[in-house]
Amino acid sequence: MPTPLISKRAPIYADVPDEKWNDWRWQLSHRLNTVEDIEKVLNLTESERKALQTQGLFRVDVTPYFISLIDPEDANDPVRKQIIPVSEELNAFTSMMEDSLAEDRHSPVPGLVHRYPDRVLMLVTTQCASYCRYCTRSRIVGDPGQTFNRQDFEAQIDYLKRTPQVRDVLLSGGDPLVLAPKILEELLTRLREIPHIEIVRIGSRVPVFMPMRITQELCDMLAKFHPLWLNIHVNHPNEISLELAEATDRLSRVGIPLGNQSVLLAGVNDCVHMQRELVQKLTRIRVRPYYLYQCDLVEGSGHFRTPVAKGIEIIEGLRGHTSGYAVPQFIVDAPGGGGKIPVMPNYMLSMSDHKVIVRNYEGFVTTYEEPTEYKSHDPKTCKFCQSKRVEPGQTGLTGLLDGEQLFIKPEGFDELHNRDGIQHRLRDENKWKPLGIGSGETD
Ligand SMILES: *Cc1c(COP(=O)(O)O)cnc(C)c1O
């Protein structure tokens, strides 16, 4: 029997009438953010007290609902660590960056990050229901003075209208679901007026911080904009309450596919067995684990970082051991704007010209005999190959495999390897030319 989901309320909220407790506006306006508030719920440690009294720290705010999930006696509670600051936040670490994903550099207009060929990240607000201590966007999030205005929004819509390769818009922030309902509806309406936008996705932690926001009315509004997808953000099984389960049920019933993105955090969820329980509990509430992220190199999150190997170990403990549906992709979001890079255990052990050697999760090693007569796929007669359109420079390894390019080289490579001053072969164009017309010869 799976453990039943429960509902919790910290003792100080025992007398709050249900209508108030279940009203998201009440939750938002009763958020806790000072030592005095938080002390009424938790026995604060010296480190927490010091951080809460530090000026200029990344914003603190917690909904009464979310703080109630914490065991007040446990200084190491995994929910607590995500939202109550500790003095280690003030420590710098090597390689720490303000904008580690180089999002600002990829923004054609403020708040729109166009990093990948066919999809954009649209930052629609800087506000959240509560603030995660390891926030990757702490450079802008939480600051009420930095929020996006009407002019930015019009510029974002304008860019999308004139950029037909964008077929997928991911709304994030901040948290799109804290926007006033009318503004959110207008935003979605304007996006849906752009014919080339096929899907809209929302990234939101509101269902986790404030599940009462996911009213039937909100779900019905969202359902007018299908196909609409939603990713939530749960890091630990303790966040999966009865209220969250009811919220995800309402979202699922109006046809919104749900995914989960977690961040791998030291002392919160860096345990294989806990992760297995988390992903199984997520699938029970019809949320499919999507990504598990390596912690970004962002200021204030040094104490949350784990070695990349920890993520590999977790995936090793999930793949094969539980439902394939429950296994997320482990992702390192490359510092410097390289984007999301999946990292996983090695299952391919070796290969020859006619077989590959692979192993499974149990360590069973087997061989797969390659076909001796594979009639190669013919791009010339394939309508998909013929109609492909890729922005120059974004073909990546696929471009190497299909013969469009012979190599990818780092910037400055030619200059470096042209030390004797003679014209270097392959200097001009990074383009494959048929053998005999100069591909391998000095020209
Ligand atoms: C994460 C992200 C996306 C979406 O990536 P998927 O792998 O498609 O989920 C798009 N744009 C930016 C800038 C992102 O950081």
Side-chain angles (χ1 to χ4, degrees):
M1 262 293 282
T3 44
L5 299 174
I6 54 164
S7 188
K8 286 172 96 178
R9 252 202 230 194
I12 63 157
Y13 301 117
D15 297 332
V16 176
D18 286 354
E19 314 89 80
K20 284 195 172 158
W21 181 259
N22 294 323
D23 177 353
W24 61 276
R25 294 175 208 269
W26 184 89
Q27 290 282 339
L28 270 188
S29 59
H30 287 79
R31 284 183 292 179
L32 302 95
N33 47 45
T34 61
V35 173
E36 295 72 41
D37 287 344
I38 297 174
E39 230 166 16
K40 291 180 193 145
V41 186
L42 307 174
N43 211 343
L44 290 173
T45 65
E46 262 327 295
S47 168
E48 289 170 328
R49 192 177 295 277
K50 179 177 166 209
L52 284 165
Q53 285 164 337
T54 303
Q55 294 292 318
L57 199 75
F58 176 57
R59 179 162 166 189
V60 176
D61 244 328
V62 196
T63 55
Y65 161 82
F66 198 67
I67 207 168
S68 295
L69 300 179
I70 297 173
D71 172 357
E73 305 307 323
D74 183 3
N76 291 315
D77 183 281
V79 173
R80 176 180 188 137
K81 288 189 170 173
Q82 295 179 53
I83 41 124
I84 306 293
V86 288
S87 56
E88 285 92 326
E89 267 186 40
L90 308 167
N91 300 347
F93 58 92
T94 51
S95 71
M96 174 176 99
M97 287 176 262
E98 195 188 25
D99 176 15
S100 81
L101 310 180
E103 292 187 329
D104 296 343
R105 187 153 52 75
H106 280 102
S107 298
V109 297
L112 204 66
V113 188
H114 191 179
R115 169 70 189 76
Y116 299 100
D118 67 339
R119 55 204 186 282
V120 298
L121 175 67
M122 186 170 170
L123 307 178
V124 297
T125 173
T126 58
Q127 304 298 295
C128 288
S130 301
Y131 293 90
C132 311
R133 302 320 303 162
Y134 48 87
C135 177
T136 190
R137 253 172 241 129
S138 52
R139 69 184 187 283
I140 47 170
V141 162
D143 182 350
Q146 272 225 46
T147 211
F148 303 101
N149 56 31
R150 169 68 48 180
Q151 205 181 337
D152 293 332
F153 172 63
E154 293 301 335
Q156 293 176 337
I157 294 287
D158 182 59
Y159 178 83
L160 293 174
K161 280 186 180 159
R162 58 191 157 83
T163 314
Q165 70 266 36
V166 175
R167 43 161 289 285
D168 173 1
V169 175
L170 167 47
L171 303 181
S172 183
D175 196 318
L177 295 188
V178 300
L179 287 176
K182 285 234 153 35
I183 300 210
L184 181 61
E185 186 163 4
E186 184 197 345
L187 175 71
L188 292 167
T189 306
R190 295 287 300 280
L191 288 174
R192 274 285 165 248
E193 284 165 9
I194 305 173
H196 55 263
I197 294 175
E198 295 170 7
I199 63 167
V200 176
R201 293 194 254 176
I202 297 176
S204 174
R205 210 178 184 187
V206 159
V208 178
F209 283 145
M210 198 171 60
M212 41 294 279
R213 174 66 189 102
I214 311 302
T215 58
Q216 190 57 47
E217 191 187 357
L218 176 74
C219 294
D220 292 339
M221 187 275 276
L222 293 175
K224 293 195 288 185
F225 300 97
H226 275 315
L228 185 94
W229 296 58
L230 181 73
N231 262 329
I232 65 172
H233 172 177
V234 179
N235 289 324
H236 190 280
N238 290 3
E239 293 160 59
I240 305 182
S241 65
L242 186 59
E243 287 90 341
L244 174 62
E246 287 168 356
T248 58
D249 185 56
R250 284 191 288 275
L251 290 162
S252 294
R253 282 175 194 273
V254 296
I256 301 175
L258 299 174
N260 183 62
Q261 317 201 72
S262 297
V263 181
L264 182 50
L265 301 167
V268 173
N269 59 7
D270 52 343
C271 162
V272 178
H273 304 285
M274 186 239 84
Q275 286 280 348
R276 200 177 299 154
E277 178 163 333
L278 171 65
V279 299
Q280 290 171 348
K281 231 171 154 181
L282 283 165
T283 56
R284 274 172 58 200
I285 62 165
R286 287 189 279 170
V287 175
R288 184 171 182 190
Y290 180 55
Y291 286 155
L292 171 65
Y293 289 103
Q294 174 69 13
C295 192
D296 288 332
L297 298 170
V298 66
E299 206 175 319
S301 60
H303 60 293
F304 282 124
R305 297 174 64 217
T306 59
V308 171
K310 181 49 84 173
I312 308 269
E313 181 190 339
I314 288 168
I315 302 301
E316 184 74 71
L318 297 178
R319 172 63 63 198
H321 296 274
T322 191
S323 320
Y325 266 132
V327 183
Q329 278 274 7
F330 176 51
I331 300 283
V332 178
D333 211 334
K340 299 183 176 69
I341 301 175
V343 184
M344 66 197 92
N346 292 324
Y347 294 99
M348 175 82 86
L349 299 184
S350 194
M351 54 189 120
S352 74
D353 64 354
H354 65 285
K355 63 170 69 163
V356 296
I357 303 180
V358 286
R359 60 103 178 171
N360 78 351
Y361 70 102
E362 296 165 296
F364 175 79
V365 176
T366 187
T367 56
Y368 179 87
E369 191 77 38
E370 299 278 40
T372 50
E373 288 175 49
Y374 168 60
K375 194 166 167 298
S376 201
H377 173 71
D378 181 6
K380 287 200 242 16
T381 59
C382 168
K383 68 172 184 175
F384 297 101
C385 291
Q386 292 303 314
S387 67
K388 77 171 174 178
R389 283 179 300 132
V390 188
E391 211 177 314
Q394 290 218 307
T395 56
L397 289 251
T398 312
L400 297 182
L401 291 173
D402 72 11
E404 203 152 273
Q405 272 181 277
L406 194 53
F407 45 76
I408 296 174
K409 54 190 168 184
E411 200 183 326
F413 183 89
D414 287 339
E415 291 75 5
L416 182 70
H417 292 277
N418 194 11
R419 300 188 209 270
D420 61 0
I422 61 164
Q423 282 196 331
H424 196 275
R425 60 183 169 164
L426 305 175
R427 185 189 55 195
D428 294 320
E429 280 283 298
N430 178 13
K431 282 277 186 236
W432 184 81
K433 296 187 190 112
L435 265 179
I437 329 179
S439 77
E441 308 301 320
T442 309
D443 38 28

